[in-house]
Amino acid sequence: MTLTAPTATAAPAAPPVDERLTPAGPIVKLLRRPEIGALVAALAIFAFFSLTTEVFLSPAGVSTWLYSASLFGIMAVAVAMLMIGGEFDLSAGAMTGTTGLIVGVMTTQWGLNVWIAMLIALAVALTVGASNAIIVMKTGLPSFIVTLATFFILQGVNLAVTKLITGSVVIQGMGTVPMFDQVKVFFGSSFTLFGMSLKIAVIWWILAIIVATWVLIRTRAGNWIFAVGGQLQSSRQVGIPVMKVKIGLFMTTAGAGWLVGMLMLFDVSTVQATTGIGQEFIYIICAVVGGCLLTGGYGSAIGAALGALIYGMTLQGIVFAQWDNNWLKAFLGGMLLLAVLVNLYVRKRAGVRS
Amino acid sequence: MSHTTSSASPTSSAPPILEVRDIGKSYGAIRALHTVSASVGVGEVLCVLGDNGAGKSTFIKILAGAHAHTEGELLSYGQSLTFTSPRHALDLGIATVYQDLAVVPLMPVWRNFFLGSEITTGFGPFRFLDVKGMRDITKAELGKMGIDLRDVDQPIGTLSGGERQSVAIARAVYFGAKVVILDEPTAALGVKQSGVVLKYIAQARDRGLGVVFITHNPHHAYPVGDRFLLLKRGTSIGSFVKSEISIEEMTGLMAGGAELASLAHELQRR
């Protein structure tokens, strides 16, 4: 708390501007945007790989890193919403494997209709998401721990059950399943744009960004997401249905896991029991690089999408540049640290106190 | 020690907006509050005074609907009821401004103003926030309270304590509160900012609202209060209308015994 009134009494002849605030110029206003740091970084990385490698800007190159970014991006957008709402979901990565495996097993082993199998997988995902939320909210335990448990459960079940049913850790032969081509139109097809062959996942990604941004900025639900993540107690006091918001967020993340699971399954027609393991932290890193605060209440879907774009570009750019792939992890760590520092700086610049 | 309990409202004969009779609350074996009676009517300020641990928080939580009472009776316009949730109390026009103000520091002022009661346009699944409308109303409503913000888009965490308090009061008033419960609104404020808040309390009262003003400072309570409820160790040690008690008597009752001497000394020097 500050008292800045004395300056006003010292200069009574001053024009009637609000003396409590220094004017917020366009630069400060821009810096207040959560995604600004990620935008600058994305442009820099884009320029770097465009100049140092030949493949990066070629149609095939763009198509490759955009696809990579889109799969991470869909998850990052959902995880960003969840993080703005003040929670983590470490089971999000394993969920992409679980949903793919459910559809794979049900169609190739049991001959179930592929659409029905997809609905069942979605139902399972949403149930797991909801139960994550209910456990977190009922017990007050950190979502980090609860979803870490879910993550291990899913990881174990994915491997054990797949082995039990198929005798191996990979499900193949999705391509021969009836109506596979029908589903592939929505989840595994490609289209040509400006001479580039783009995967349909890119469209889903863009849709996810638009819907998430709209929800966050222009709907009541979005307002509530920011509120429950920013100050849970206050949210309860003003009558926000906290439980519903959190359940919705966890279900959204699980639903996004299902979508990405389907996109990967119908792209390559196979699914490995280890799919998605180890990706959960990348989603969180993408969201943080995109300006989400780890403490909740602040961030943006566009920022998270930019974070995923940075990851996708770097992942493929390192391959194009023929560097050792292991540099990616080191880069990721550096990027995360930088992002956290930039976020801290930006928040101070924007004058946000508590 | 003069101990007067007045049950009839001094300003009107209509049933008070909010009344409690011998109310109490136990948390398991702990009796946090017992046999407390008070009421607040239209255009009245009820001051609830007490030291730390006197039961003020429990009292507020009952009035705000956060905790249901376990003894006595709670009446709104003469009707006995038990609040099931803060939303229930809000729907009856009982708004509580907590010490933390129930604001989200990182969110813009206008989003905080409408938090939980957002205005939307459109229909069905395509309902979206009326951003311009909410911005304009926020600016206008704050203007009525004498708060002039140049930018309602700034995070509310950047406002001063008094300003934040005033935004919270303005919000309660705008959303049709008939009774505003203020939890220690001046506790964290400097002298000047406290004065600002007291002014808003008087303004709310003049607009016909009932105000429940919780404080531990008799000097803040006495100038604006119409009725005073003094709490100590979870129970009432007196309930007075303004004409029945002076500020010295009130301070004496609150402080009691040994502390009184030094306090009286302190007061004389003013």
Side-chain angles (χ1 to χ4, degrees), chain B residues 22-102:
Chain B
D22 293 326
I23 208 151
K25 168 80 190 171
S26 304
Y27 299 96
I30 300 156
R31 268 178 116 190
L33 197 74
H34 55 102
T35 55
V36 172
S37 301
S39 72
V40 60
V42 174
E44 265 187 359
V45 179
L46 165 72
C47 295
V48 180
L49 291 113
D51 218 333
N52 295 337
K56 298 191 301 261
S57 311
T58 310
F59 187 69
I60 299 169
K61 279 176 185 152
I62 292 171
L63 295 190
H67 290 175
H69 56 276
T70 51
E71 298 165 24
E73 213 180 356
L74 188 147
L75 304 99
S76 179
Y77 293 106
Q79 266 200 312
S80 176
L81 46 87
T82 302
F83 291 142
T84 50
S85 70
R87 178 52 59 188
H88 186 190
L90 264 177
D91 290 344
L92 288 167
I94 298 152
T96 310
V97 177
Y98 287 95
Q99 230 166 334
D100 61 14
L101 304 179

Side-chain angles (χ1 to χ4, degrees), chain A residues 18 20 217-218 223 351, chain B residues 111 118 129 148 158 163 193:
Chain A
D18 198 323
R20 292 161 300 189
I217 300 180
R218 283 291 177 270
N223 225 26
Chain B
R111 282 189 191 263
E118 296 86 354
L129 297 179
D148 177 31
T158 61
E163 283 172 330
Q193 299 269 332

Side-chain angles (χ1 to χ4, degrees), chain A residues 40-301:
Chain A
V40 173
L43 288 174
I45 286 160
F46 177 79
F48 177 78
F49 282 116
S50 300
L51 293 173
T52 53
T53 71
E54 303 219 323
V55 201
F56 194 79
L57 263 188
S58 72
V62 173
S63 168
T64 308
W65 56 255
L66 263 185
Y67 177 60
S68 202
S70 65
L71 292 182
F72 286 105
I74 292 166
M75 290 310 292
V77 165
V79 166
M81 291 178 85
L82 183 67
M83 280 180 70
I84 294 170
E87 305 290 347
F88 290 101
D89 188 354
L90 298 183
S91 66
M95 186 61 78
T96 63
T98 305
T99 50
L101 289 165
I102 290 175
V103 175
V105 166
M106 286 184 162
T107 52
T108 62
Q109 305 295 314
W110 301 342
L112 197 69
N113 178 299
V114 63
W115 289 106
I116 293 173
M118 285 170 68
L119 277 181
I120 293 172
L122 178 61
V124 169
L126 296 179
T127 308
V128 172
S131 78
N132 274 342
I134 290 167
I135 295 169
V136 166
M137 294 309 287
K138 288 286 179 199
T139 61
L141 286 168
S143 51
F144 201 88
I145 290 299
V146 172
T147 59
L148 185 67
T150 316
F151 160 64
F152 274 101
I153 292 170
L154 289 182
Q155 183 180 6
V157 168
N158 285 1
L159 277 160
V161 173
T162 309
K163 261 179 145 172
L164 200 69
I165 295 174
T166 69
S168 77
V169 289
V170 62
I171 291 168
Q172 284 168 319
M174 276 299 292
T176 60
V177 164
M179 288 189 281
F180 178 82
D181 294 332
Q182 206 182 74
V183 182
K184 196 174 164 76
V185 173
F186 296 98
F187 295 98
S189 59
S190 300
F191 60 98
T192 310
L193 187 74
F194 305 125
M196 295 178 292
S197 172
L198 295 179
K199 297 267 169 69
I200 199 154
V202 178
I203 301 286
W204 283 104
W205 182 32
I206 293 167
L207 273 177
I209 299 169
I210 293 170
V211 170
T213 304
W214 175 258
V215 167
L216 283 175
I217 300 180
R218 283 291 177 270
T219 68
R220 301 186 77 184
N223 225 26
W224 296 350
I225 291 169
F226 277 100
V228 297
Q231 193 75 264
L232 190 68
Q233 197 51 39
S234 298
S235 309
R236 283 216 174 88
Q237 284 166 4
V238 297
I240 291 173
V242 173
M243 189 78 173
K244 274 188 197 163
V245 174
K246 298 260 184 176
I247 290 177
L249 284 171
F250 274 103
M251 286 175 80
T252 303
T253 312
W258 171 82
L259 176 58
V260 171
M262 295 306 105
L263 290 170
M264 292 195 291
L265 178 66
F266 289 99
D267 182 47
V268 293
S269 328
T270 59
V271 54
Q272 304 221 344
T274 52
T275 299
I277 305 299
Q279 315 262 272
E280 51 287 323
F281 279 111
I282 293 169
Y283 309 144
I284 294 174
I285 291 172
C286 290
V288 172
V289 166
C292 285
L293 288 183
L294 286 164
T295 45
Y298 193 72
S300 85

Side-chain angles (χ1 to χ4, degrees), chain B residues 152-265:
Chain B
V152 289
D153 262 311
Q154 61 182 304
I156 202 162
T158 61
L159 300 187
S160 74
E163 283 172 330
R164 262 180 283 175
Q165 188 68 244
S166 316
V167 171
I169 299 173
R171 172 170 72 179
V173 173
Y174 175 74
F175 285 106
K178 297 184 182 79
V179 177
V180 190
I181 303 166
L182 304 172
D183 180 12
E184 303 256 12
T186 57
L189 300 184
V191 177
K192 186 166 176 148
Q193 299 269 332
S194 296
V196 169
V197 171
L198 293 180
K199 214 175 69 194
Y200 294 134
I201 292 175
Q203 208 153 13
R205 175 198 64 200
D206 294 343
R207 284 168 78 168
L209 271 84
V211 179
V212 180
F213 175 22
I214 285 109
T215 180
H216 58 248
N217 191 333
H219 297 277
H220 288 162
Y222 200 77
V224 290
D226 298 307
R227 294 157 170 274
F228 302 93
L229 168 69
L230 273 60
L231 296 179
K232 195 167 195 172
R233 296 175 67 90
T235 192
S236 169
I237 54 166
S239 174
F240 311 91
V241 295
K242 196 166 192 166
S243 56
E244 296 170 343
I245 191 167
S246 72
I247 189 162
E248 288 81 15
E249 287 172 307
M250 205 157 79
T251 315
L253 264 175
M254 272 184 69
E259 292 156 82
L260 183 59
S262 67
L263 204 63
H265 177 69

